[in-house]
Amino acid sequence: MKLLIFDIDGTLTHLDGSTHRAFARAFKESFDRELITEGLKLHGRTDPIIFKECHARAGLNGDWLEAYEKFKPVYIHYLPEAISQNPRARTKPGVPELLAALHDRRDRCALALGTGNGEAGARAKISFFNLDDYFPVGGFGDTHEERYLIMQDAMREAEQYYQTEFDLQSVWIIGDTPFDIEGGQAIGAKTLAVATGGAYSYDDLVAAQPDVVMHDLSDTTAVLRALDLE
Ligand SMILES: [Mg+2]
């Protein structure tokens, strides 16, 4: 049995700034301050850590974690609206077809999420595209800063849910940034990099030395073949 752990942003979904808009709106409403993200490194970082930086940049005093707890439900509230109002928000090419094909092979592969998003935000994003049912479990950015710890969470949760012990040689991390690849390599899993995120090119991803690199996930047969699930 294989375990496929998917990143969300840039891998499954193209949200075209919807996340940022919901984040900024919730930040403004929660603290009456503008969100300042210029020059802030967003890719590969978890929601809480991005918030922590923004909290500091806005000159807010007090405990950032406490502020994050206040901010989070507001952000989750605005997220679906920000996505639905964005005509360019969509799933990445081939994603619905690939997930359907993997679902058909559910006796041979299990699915999980592995993302820096908090769980509620992650669920809001994928349920908008009706992909939620494919991912009963995952590792999320709520509890960890480090990608590999999120991947470990995803694996542990999947082992409990699917009642299976996954051999690391059968665990794949699928993501659009070198951070996904490094996280996967750190736990000893296989890695598939897909250059649909926009921030990292095909060559950038090759440099991270994943097991497989693809331009996109549009060729279902090719992806299944790469994962040995044809
Ligand atoms: Mg991503």
Side-chain angles (χ1 to χ4, degrees), residues 2-230:
K2 291 181 194 293
L3 174 63
L4 312 180
I5 302 176
F6 281 86
D7 167 61
I8 297 179
D9 300 302
T11 302
L12 295 176
T13 63
H14 175 86
L15 296 177
D16 191 59
S18 310
T19 302
H20 184 273
R21 274 188 282 283
F23 211 91
R25 188 174 175 189
F27 198 87
K28 173 91 174 144
E29 185 174 307
S30 301
F31 310 112
D32 200 23
R33 304 276 172 97
E34 297 299 330
L35 183 72
I36 307 162
T37 56
E38 278 76 29
L40 182 62
K41 219 167 72 48
L42 300 171
H43 286 275
R45 310 186 79 182
T46 63
D47 281 1
I49 294 310
I50 293 169
F51 177 84
K52 182 184 176 183
E53 287 255 6
C54 295
H55 184 263
R57 284 167 171 235
L60 291 165
N61 296 316
D63 181 26
W64 73 267
L65 253 180
E66 219 169 88
Y68 182 61
E69 290 307 317
K70 174 184 169 185
F71 161 86
K72 202 160 66 170
V74 186
Y75 164 63
I76 299 305
H77 174 75
Y78 285 131
L79 188 54
E81 188 183 319
I83 300 171
S84 67
Q85 288 181 348
N86 187 339
R88 289 180 303 276
R90 54 180 166 76
T91 51
K92 289 292 183 184
V95 163
E97 295 82 359
L98 176 61
L99 294 178
L102 294 172
H103 185 70
D104 289 343
R105 291 159 177 75
R106 58 192 177 277
D107 56 325
R108 295 160 63 198
C109 67
L111 303 185
L113 293 169
T115 169
N117 284 273
E119 179 162 12
R123 293 277 169 216
K125 288 180 181 181
I126 61 165
S127 61
F128 182 81
F129 299 105
N130 296 316
L131 304 179
D132 206 26
D133 289 347
Y134 290 119
F135 298 100
V137 290
F140 303 95
D142 298 297
T143 37
H144 303 295
E145 214 173 302
E146 299 287 346
R147 281 266 151 178
Y148 78 94
L149 293 172
I150 292 173
M151 307 303 183
Q152 276 179 353
D153 267 6
M155 217 177 130
R156 195 170 43 239
E157 294 289 316
E159 292 195 324
Q160 274 184 15
Y161 181 84
Y162 295 105
Q163 294 289 303
T164 302
E165 250 184 64
F166 297 103
D167 169 8
L168 276 166
Q169 280 304 300
S170 307
V171 177
W172 284 84
I173 305 296
I174 299 159
D176 68 302
T177 73
F179 304 104
D180 302 293
I181 304 316
E182 287 159 14
Q185 289 164 343
I187 66 164
K190 296 202 166 232
T191 52
L192 189 161
V194 57
T196 44
Y200 295 93
S201 69
Y202 185 90
D203 290 341
D204 292 335
L205 294 174
V206 168
Q209 299 188 302
D211 294 284
V212 177
V213 192
M214 293 189 158
H215 288 285
D216 59 42
L217 301 176
S218 62
D219 186 343
T220 303
T221 308
V223 181
L224 293 174
R225 193 179 305 133
L227 298 171
D228 195 22
L229 282 168
E230 234 179 324

